[in-house]
Amino acid sequence: MITFLDETLKDILKTNNEQNLKNCIIVLPSRRAGLHLKKIISKHINETVFLPKITTINEFIYSLSELNLINGFEAELELYSSYLKVNSAKETLDNFIHLAPLILNDFNLIDKYLIDANEFIFDLKSVNEIENWSLNESNLTENQLDYVEFWKNLGVLYSEFNNQLSKKGLSTEGNIYRKVASSINLDEIDQSK
């Protein structure tokens, strides 16, 4: 059975001889695919050669960025630090830490898909207002007011968080993708292929 990776290796060998593989970089979706490709290379090539550099798409994107990846609890603490700078209704760290992964995930998706953060967050705020309350009522509870304040400041939090990370040479995965995508010079890409 011929797999996609078998076909890929055949195409690579059409333009590069076996000894020239060491000068290639192959970008795959996962490390597992890289392991399978190494097995396929050893199956198809019966002589000693240097392997090409095999990397994942994430590792490749990170290599194009000058920023270092931040994630997990460290990212949540940085987000909380930014939150304290932009919100008047201060949540405790204990309360905020439950929201942090959701907010970070939203920020990552906004950046990875190159969505205009201000428009998206405004739309998200509007949807939440409609789903949860009629905010046209005159007597909102303190929780409702805190909730509205939080959503109003989400765009400011997004900007503050990314600026704070950038000053430290750090970035989230999604923001690294955004910065790399915006730095690509389309004029340098060969349009003839």
Side-chain angles (χ1 to χ4, degrees):
M1 179 175 160
I2 296 176
T3 66
F4 172 75
L5 290 176
D6 287 310
E7 292 294 326
T8 301
L9 181 61
K10 285 180 186 177
D11 283 346
I12 292 170
L13 291 174
K14 283 180 187 176
T15 56
N16 297 283
N17 67 33
E18 294 169 354
Q19 294 301 321
N20 199 27
L21 280 179
K22 66 182 177 193
N23 297 324
C24 295
I25 299 175
I26 300 174
V27 180
L28 297 170
S30 68
R31 289 184 182 181
R32 180 177 291 165
L35 293 173
H36 289 294
L37 181 61
K38 288 177 184 179
K39 288 179 184 177
I40 290 169
I41 290 172
S42 69
K43 184 174 79 173
H44 286 279
I45 299 175
N46 297 323
E47 60 184 276
T48 304
V49 296
F50 286 103
L51 287 174
K53 180 177 181 179
I54 300 173
T55 186
T56 66
I57 187 70
N58 282 347
E59 291 167 346
F60 179 70
I61 296 291
Y62 300 156
S63 74
L64 298 175
S65 174
E66 296 174 1
L67 299 169
N68 295 311
L69 178 66
I70 183 174
N71 55 26
F73 190 64
E74 187 180 3
E76 292 171 4
L77 290 176
E78 289 290 341
L79 182 64
Y80 183 66
S81 173
S82 297
Y83 167 79
L84 291 175
K85 292 178 183 175
V86 300
N87 277 4
S88 60
K90 307 285 190 217
E91 291 286 335
T92 65
L93 179 59
D94 288 344
N95 291 335
F96 185 83
I97 212 70
H98 298 292
L99 290 174
L102 300 171
I103 296 168
L104 288 171
N105 186 52
D106 287 346
F107 287 179
N108 268 323
L109 291 175
I110 288 168
D111 287 332
K112 257 188 174 176
Y113 294 110
L114 305 176
I115 298 170
D116 182 299
N118 291 326
E119 287 181 24
F120 178 78
I121 290 170
F122 174 77
D123 291 342
L124 194 59
K125 177 181 149 299
S126 299
V127 168
N128 275 294
E129 286 177 356
I130 291 169
E131 286 179 353
N132 292 299
W133 299 295
S134 172
L135 296 179
N136 293 326
E137 294 179 19
S138 58
N139 298 327
L140 296 179
T141 67
E142 187 175 329
N143 284 342
Q144 288 175 322
L145 291 171
D146 288 347
Y147 183 81
V148 170
E149 181 75 16
F150 176 81
W151 282 103
K152 282 181 182 176
N153 289 331
L154 198 57
V156 177
L157 176 60
Y158 170 85
S159 296
E160 175 63 32
F161 176 63
N162 284 316
N163 289 337
Q164 181 173 306
L165 291 182
S166 184
K167 289 176 187 175
K168 296 178 179 183
L170 301 170
S171 188
T172 59
E173 179 181 58
N175 199 258
I176 288 175
Y177 272 65
R178 180 183 289 276
K179 290 185 185 300
V180 168
S182 68
S183 70
I184 292 173
N185 185 347
L186 295 177
D187 294 335
E188 293 178 4
I189 296 176
D190 183 5
Q191 300 294 328
S192 63
K193 293 185 179 181

